[in-house]
Structures are given as C-alpha cells and as structure tokens.
Amino acid sequence: MSQGQPRRPQAEEEEAIKYGDVFKVSGDLANKPITPQDAAALQAAETRALGRTQRGGPAAVMQSAATVNENRGVVGHHDVTSATKDQGVTVSDAEVAGHHIITESVGGEVVGQYVRTNTTASPAPAKTSGDLQVTIGEALEASALSAGEKPVEQSDAAAIQAAEIRATGRMQVTPGGIAAKAQAAASQNARTMSEEKKTKLGDVLTDASKLLPKDKPVTREDAEGVIGAEIRNQPELATYPGGVAASMAAAARLNQEK
C-alpha cells in the first residue's frame, strides 16, 4: 500500500477489517485491509456503470469498512491496495434470461453480484439460496437474445446438445428437440454460402425453455460441460461472446449460493 497517515505499531494485523472479513474472496486480496482509495475507486466505477453508487452495494460496504480502518489508524486516507492499483476495479452489466446481472470486482476478485430489475432498484443479493434460479432453457434463450444473429455452427450445436442432455438427464438427443434442430442447422449452414440464408441461433433457441421436455437450474458442472463441448468443436478453442457457453456460465454464477 502507499504511505498514508501514521499507524499504531502492529495494529494492522489485529484490527484492520480485511476483504476476507466481508466478501467471499480468496488469495492475497482476502488478507488485505480495505482502504479508502479502494472504496473510492469502486464507488466511481458504480457511478459510471449504473448512474449512482448503489445503496447497500459493495462500494458502500467498502466505504464503511475503510472509514473504520482509517479511524483505527491501520490505513491512511490515501492508501490503495496493490490489487486495485495493478488490476483495477470493474462493474459489469450482463443480461441473462431477462435479468440484469451486475458483477463488481476488485483486483479480479468478485466482491458482489446482484440483480437489477430497473435503474432505480437497490441491489438484491443474487446468490441467495433458492432465489432467481436461472434454468438451462432460460440460459439458452438468453443466448438467443445476446447472439441471436450468429449463424449456427458445429460448436454451437455441440454446446446446445450438451445443454439439452444436462437438462433432460437423457444421454440421447430428443427427436425434434432443440439439439436436433441445432445440428440440422449447423449441417445446412456448412453447405450454404449466403450468410443471410443461414439459420441463426435466435431461430433455434427462442422459446428453448418451452421446447425442452425437462428443465433444471444451471449448475457450475452444467456450465463446464457446455463450455467444454463448445470449445472442443471450435478451431480457435474459445467460446463465442454472448453465445451458448457464455450464457450458461453467467447463469451458473447467478445460481451459485454464497
């Protein structure tokens, strides 16, 4: 940390409120005291991304902790952790199944994730057990919105098939289901020269939750399976931004309990 006001000897280890005390973070950040400049940086990021600092949000929590730490003399007013200085803070807004998922990070570690239903709503916990559980079908529908104009490729068909299998619990593709439609679209698209005539993800995945014979909330294991299927069938070995794997990953993060 940068040098700030004088501190009481040996006070920091005993009295500082650290990131690990108030957030579910790991690694080096968990043992770092929350500083005034860290809190100010996240407040500024919230304001830029959301229009204002969120009441009861991560930045507000950090500001309270930083004020206590400064009053105790364990951090200075101008102190900033190395994680914030080197990696910065971020506030991102992703739409999943009609929900705006706000994710806030400090030094690459997530310190808050919540759902914003409108621009004036206060943050609501996004990881509470049993709430806002996004299903596989809803995650597929979200990719139809975020990447609906993308022509269906083999990587997409493989990811959709993996998602359908995990939703239904059946190892075989459902006849006439979304996986079968996706595979047929990918095969047809490979033989179609005109981009305008190719079948798009939105054509296949709109109303996916209604077309699945069974559905279930997305788990981390579900997302990992779909991500693996998409990557294995992609020459660049990467997932498509806003595509099937990305939407499943976002849904899994939302569903994960604190």
Side-chain angles (χ1 to χ4, degrees):
M1 293 185 293
S2 63
Q3 296 299 313
Q5 66 188 47
R7 304 167 192 176
R8 296 194 297 273
Q10 300 180 341
E12 182 170 328
E13 288 299 321
E14 297 177 356
E15 300 183 29
I17 299 175
K18 302 179 178 66
Y19 278 92
D21 296 328
V22 293
F23 299 118
K24 283 190 173 295
V25 296
S26 59
D28 190 49
L29 184 65
N31 297 316
K32 295 292 186 182
I34 298 175
T35 71
Q37 294 306 308
D38 289 0
L42 193 58
Q43 284 179 330
E46 280 190 356
T47 300
R48 286 194 301 271
L50 308 175
R52 64 182 177 85
T53 299
Q54 302 300 292
R55 183 179 62 186
V61 172
M62 285 176 61
Q63 183 58 62
S64 297
T67 299
V68 172
N69 283 345
E70 187 175 0
N71 288 340
R72 289 177 178 178
V74 295
V75 300
H77 184 71
H78 298 290
D79 280 354
V80 59
T81 63
S82 57
T84 300
K85 182 178 180 181
D86 297 338
Q87 301 178 56
V89 300
T90 60
V91 177
S92 63
D93 183 349
E95 186 172 348
V96 177
H99 304 292
H100 281 275
I101 312 304
I102 310 302
T103 303
E104 304 194 24
S105 301
V106 174
E109 291 269 3
V110 174
V111 295
Q113 191 175 63
Y114 51 89
V115 175
R116 186 175 65 150
T117 55
N118 56 61
T119 56
T120 60
S122 299
K127 297 182 181 180
T128 53
S129 177
D131 291 335
L132 298 168
Q133 294 288 292
V134 179
T135 67
I136 289 175
E138 289 174 326
L140 293 175
E141 290 174 351
S143 64
L145 294 174
S146 57
E149 294 304 309
K150 179 186 184 296
V152 180
E153 300 176 349
Q154 185 56 46
S155 57
D156 303 311
I160 293 168
Q161 178 176 331
E164 181 183 89
I165 288 173
R166 289 183 169 274
T168 63
R170 305 169 184 170
M171 291 308 296
Q172 70 272 17
V173 173
T174 303
I178 55 173
K181 289 174 60 179
Q183 185 58 63
S187 299
Q188 181 63 38
N189 285 349
R191 300 190 297 269
T192 302
M193 297 300 294
S194 173
E195 290 293 315
E196 295 181 355
K197 294 182 179 180
K198 290 183 177 182
T199 303
K200 311 297 194 296
L201 275 178
D203 299 326
V204 174
L205 295 179
T206 299
D207 296 328
S209 58
K210 297 178 181 178
L211 298 176
L212 287 171
K214 291 179 61 178
D215 204 355
K216 64 183 285 290
V218 181
T219 66
R220 185 180 64 180
E221 291 74 17
D222 295 330
E224 290 174 350
V226 172
I227 290 169
E230 185 168 319
I231 289 176
R232 285 193 300 273
N233 290 273
Q234 174 59 253
E236 290 80 12
L237 298 179
T239 60
Y240 186 84
V244 176
S247 293
M248 287 283 290
R253 287 194 296 271
L254 172 61
N255 290 346
Q256 187 176 358
E257 295 181 7
K258 289 184 178 180

